[in-house]
Amino acid sequence: MTSREFENLVAQTVAAIAPRFQQHLQNVAFLVETESSDPDLLGLYEGTPLTERSVGTGFGLPDRITIFQRPHERMARTARQLRKLVEDTVWHEVGHFFGMDEAAVERAERRRAGRQTRFGI
C-alpha cells in the first residue's frame, strides 16, 4: 500500500469516529509515519489526556496520535485485516487521549470486540 493510501485509510477511520467523541478531538493531530524506533509499535498518543486537564490548562500545541504504517502492514494479511487493525489502533490511541490507561483500554477493547460493532467507540 502506498503511503497516500494508508494516510487515506487512517483519515477515513478518524472520520468514522462517533460524533459524540469527535467533538473532543478538535485539537488532536492525527499523523502517519512509516515506522517508529520500536518496530512493533502500531500507534502512539502524545499529549495531556482530557482527564488530566483543568480550566487553568493553557492553550498549546495539539495532542498527537501517530499511526505507524509498516507494523500494520506486517501484521495484516489482507486489506480487510489491515482496515480492522488500523481501526483498532486509532481506537486504542483515542482511548488514551480520553484518559484511559492500558488496562482500561484493553477492557474496553474486549467489550468492543464482543459487540462487533462498527467504529463508534
Side-chain angles (χ1 to χ4, degrees):
M1 174 175 278
T2 69
S3 58
R4 181 171 298 275
E5 290 170 329
F6 190 80
E7 288 171 8
N8 287 337
L9 176 58
V10 171
Q12 291 167 5
T13 301
V14 171
I17 295 173
R20 66 184 176 163
F21 299 105
Q22 197 66 257
Q23 66 185 356
H24 299 288
L25 298 172
Q26 298 306 312
N27 200 33
V28 177
F30 286 86
L31 309 169
V32 172
E33 291 186 13
T34 304
E35 191 99 46
S36 81
S37 57
D38 176 352
D40 297 324
L41 188 63
L42 297 173
L44 178 65
Y45 166 69
E46 297 172 282
T48 304
L50 285 181
T51 55
E52 296 177 18
R53 297 178 187 192
S54 70
V55 213
T57 303
F59 293 102
L61 294 175
D63 289 10
R64 296 171 16 144
I65 292 178
T66 306
I67 307 299
F68 299 102
Q69 181 175 352
R70 295 290 181 246
H72 282 85
E73 292 175 333
R74 285 193 295 271
M75 290 181 70
R77 300 288 179 240
T78 66
R80 185 176 181 185
Q81 285 178 341
L82 181 61
R83 177 173 293 281
K84 174 78 168 93
L85 189 56
V86 168
E87 287 178 358
D88 291 347
T89 302
V90 168
W91 190 93
H92 184 101
E93 301 309 328
V94 167
H96 288 311
F97 167 75
F98 279 102
M100 299 170 79
D101 64 14
E102 204 62 36
V105 170
E106 288 174 11
R107 284 191 303 275
E109 286 172 342
R110 285 192 298 275
R111 284 192 308 272
R112 182 173 169 259
R115 288 191 309 266
Q116 296 195 11
T117 60
R118 182 75 179 125
F119 187 60
I121 300 187

